[in-house]
Every structure is written in structure tokens, then in C-alpha cells.
Amino acid sequence: MASLPRIERTPSTDTADEPAHSSAEQAYAALTAELQKSGFDVVAPLRAGWYNDYIRELGLSTDSTAYLQASGERHASGEEAPFALAPLPDFGRSGDALAILVGNSRAMWPAFLRWLKAQKDPDALSDPVDTFAAEAICGAVGRFAAASAAAAGRKAAVAHDSFWASDMTPARLVDMNRAARVAGVCYFSDAMFLSVHPTFGAWVAFRAVVVLDLPASHLRGPPAPLPPLLSDHEAAAAKAAFDEALRASAAEELRVDGMPRHLAHKWAAMRDCVRRGREHRYGARQSEYHYTKDRSLLAAELAGLEAEEGKQQAGGEGKARSAEV
């Protein structure tokens, strides 16, 4: 797993706190627009307290704990015993701190490939997707924190803290699926640990939850949970696919840095059971890389990208010559 940065969370000493409403809206709109340019098109605000109250209400341990009990494997963090999820920080705001969930559909993949192609030494990156996500999200959030501070008349950027989906350390682990549930982003199936988005279906991934030292009282109460976004038949088929993927995984010695391709196909089969959002299904290489971390898939994608760019360049030059004749 890549070593991801944690955004600065030094408390601000300025007394000004509330940014002007219109300026705050503009800063948030700029944040979402910048994230969308990098392919992070699933972005939603929530109160830190919504998530904290929900995991306390459930007495929740990590989703991986149930998986471990069924499979006998060790958690990716190396922890032997189940551990409870830590609450999100709220900067002394009694749960009213603004949190932002960041995720993506397949829209991230083209942006990621363009970024990867521009890297001097892509092979030196321990986890290219995590590195890309951290770079894009940290940059966008940092600018949002600075703009929010300016709107509130602060000298220093708004303090904030980032929690990454790939960080499995107990103190930093956030249940991204349940954060998406309480934010009203996805329907979440406890039976399959599966999130279903109203537009993208099962083809979404969550990258981070960022908590900022900003009020979230404008969000009012938590949204009502989304109803099941799949039929009973789809749910039964997905549960059968989940059980099969779990059974097959228990027979393998899995690693944090990816799984064998035949297991990747079994886990993707569960997502394929959901009819909603099938038009947003990941491409074959994106889907396989998501599970396997096989670098040869990235090499093939980059080769295809270079070939396509070469065709476009040749076509442009041909049109220019025709115009000169």
C-alpha cells in the first residue's frame, strides 16, 4: 500500500469562524469541479457526527472482521483481534464538523492513465492509483481549505484531516461504505458489504473522507437511507456470487497488494448481478486492476493510450496538409 499523506490538522488560532455563505458555496463548487476533472465524480458532504453516531449505534467493528471470522484470514492491517472503528475527529464542534466523502465511478480511469503517462518513472510508484488519488484530492482539498479560510477572514488555512480507504491502521480506518450510506450517496447491503449508487450502480469506489474545521449545521439532519436499489432476484444472485467469492478467497493465501485474476472475476461477478448502472461498468482492465494490482494491465492501457494519441496526431497532420493543398 502506498504511504499516503495526512492533511495538516493544526488547529487555527483565528477567531473568525463562519465563512460568508455565498463564498462558502463558491469554494465548495470549485472543490467539486476540480475533483471531477480528475475523475472523482462521487463527492458528498456530511456531518462528522452522522458517521460517529451511526457506528456507535451499531457497536460497529470493521467489515473485515466478519470476513475474517468466515475465512480464517488475517486482516490486512496485521491485527489479530477485531477492533472497533474510531470516530471521526470533529475539532471540538460536538459532531458538527464538515466531512467530505470522495469517490469515483469509471470516470477516474482515463484521468489516472493520463497522469500515469506523465510520470517520469511509473514503475517506482508503490501503488499508482493511491498516489494519484492522494495527489488530486490533497491538492483540491488544500485549495478548498485556503479559500474557506479567506472567506472567513482567517490568515491560516482551515485545519483538516484526511482518512484514506487504503489505510488499514486501526486508528485511521474509516468504513467508507457506511460513510456513503449516512451521506445518502449509496444504498448499502450489510449482507454483501456492497454499495449501490443510484446512477453508477455497484461500479463505484471510495477513496477518502476528509474532515474540516468548518461548521456543517447547514446540512441539517442526516438524509433518509436510500431504499434497496436492486431487486430481490438481483440481491439473491449477488449474495450467491458473494458467498462463492468468499469461499474461493478462503482457499487462497491472499495478499494486500492484489488477488489472483480468477478471484478478481468472482468478486466482479457480484457487482455484475446489479442491473442498475451497468452502462457505467468499469472496463475489463480497470476492473481487473482494481482487484489484482497487476502492473501489466497498466502497461497495456498506456500502450493503447499512446497508440490512440498517435492516430489523433497523424489525423490532425493529414487534415493540415489537405488544407494547404
Side-chain angles (χ1 to χ4, degrees):
M1 181 182 69
S3 178
L4 300 177
R6 297 177 184 175
I7 298 177
E8 179 62 44
R9 60 177 301 188
T10 303
S12 170
T13 56
D14 293 311
T15 55
D17 185 51
E18 308 289 337
H21 184 67
S22 60
S23 297
E25 287 185 339
Q26 291 172 2
Y28 185 78
L31 168 67
T32 57
E34 183 174 352
L35 289 170
Q36 286 178 356
K37 286 181 181 179
S38 296
F40 298 102
D41 52 351
V42 179
V43 182
L46 64 149
R47 289 188 190 180
W50 295 351
Y51 173 82
N52 294 344
D53 291 345
Y54 186 52
I55 62 173
R56 290 190 187 109
E57 175 187 336
L58 296 178
L60 195 64
S61 294
T62 67
D63 283 343
S64 296
T65 298
Y67 174 83
L68 294 177
Q69 291 170 346
S71 68
E73 296 173 25
R74 293 181 63 187
H75 189 272
S77 68
E79 292 290 314
E80 294 284 358
F83 49 86
L85 292 165
L88 292 172
D90 63 10
F91 297 96
R93 292 180 176 273
S94 300
D96 191 36
L98 176 66
I100 300 173
L101 173 74
V102 182
N104 61 272
S105 69
R106 68 178 183 182
M108 182 207 70
W109 196 244
F112 162 66
L113 292 176
R114 291 192 297 270
W115 172 88
L116 186 63
K117 183 175 179 291
Q119 301 306 300
K120 291 182 179 180
D121 188 5
D123 292 336
L125 301 172
S126 60
D127 190 311
V129 169
D130 283 352
T131 304
F132 168 69
E135 183 177 302
I137 294 170
C138 285
V141 170
R143 284 179 280 277
F144 172 69
S148 298
R154 296 187 187 182
K155 295 179 181 179
V158 170
H160 48 290
D161 198 2
S162 290
F163 297 83
W164 303 95
S166 56
D167 190 345
M168 297 294 179
T169 56
R172 307 290 302 176
L173 185 63
V174 170
D175 188 327
M176 298 288 165
N177 286 296
R178 288 188 169 89
R181 178 196 179 278
V182 298
V185 171
C186 289
Y187 164 74
F188 176 65
S189 167
D190 290 275
M192 296 169 282
F193 308 127
L194 178 68
S195 288
V196 182
H197 188 274
T199 300
F200 304 124
W203 298 101
V204 290
F206 305 116
R207 301 296 170 186
V209 169
V210 182
V211 187
L212 299 102
D213 187 10
L214 287 172
S217 52
H218 62 287
L219 296 177
R220 301 184 181 182
L226 292 178
L229 297 177
L230 66 171
S231 68
D232 291 344
H233 175 75
E234 292 170 70
K239 182 60 167 63
F242 171 80
D243 290 341
E244 169 57 21
L246 198 64
R247 183 201 62 76
S249 297
E252 298 276 351
E253 186 174 346
L254 299 184
R255 303 182 307 176
V256 178
D257 58 349
M259 64 178 63
R261 189 165 296 185
H262 71 278
L263 288 183
H265 292 168
K266 289 183 180 294
W267 286 107
M270 177 182 65
R271 292 181 170 194
D272 278 329
C273 292
V274 181
R275 183 179 301 275
R276 183 183 293 268
R278 280 182 180 169
E279 67 274 22
H280 298 284
R281 191 188 193 282
Y282 295 172
R285 288 178 182 146
Q286 180 182 2
S287 179
E288 285 195 4
Y289 182 78
H290 174 79
Y291 292 106
T292 67
K293 312 299 184 190
D294 183 351
R295 293 297 185 97
S296 69
L297 296 168
L298 297 183
E301 288 284 68
L302 291 179
L305 181 61
E306 290 180 359
E308 182 62 29
E309 290 177 348
K311 289 180 182 179
Q312 292 177 356
Q313 183 177 359
E317 292 174 351
K319 289 181 181 179
R321 284 193 294 269
S322 298
E324 292 173 356
V325 175

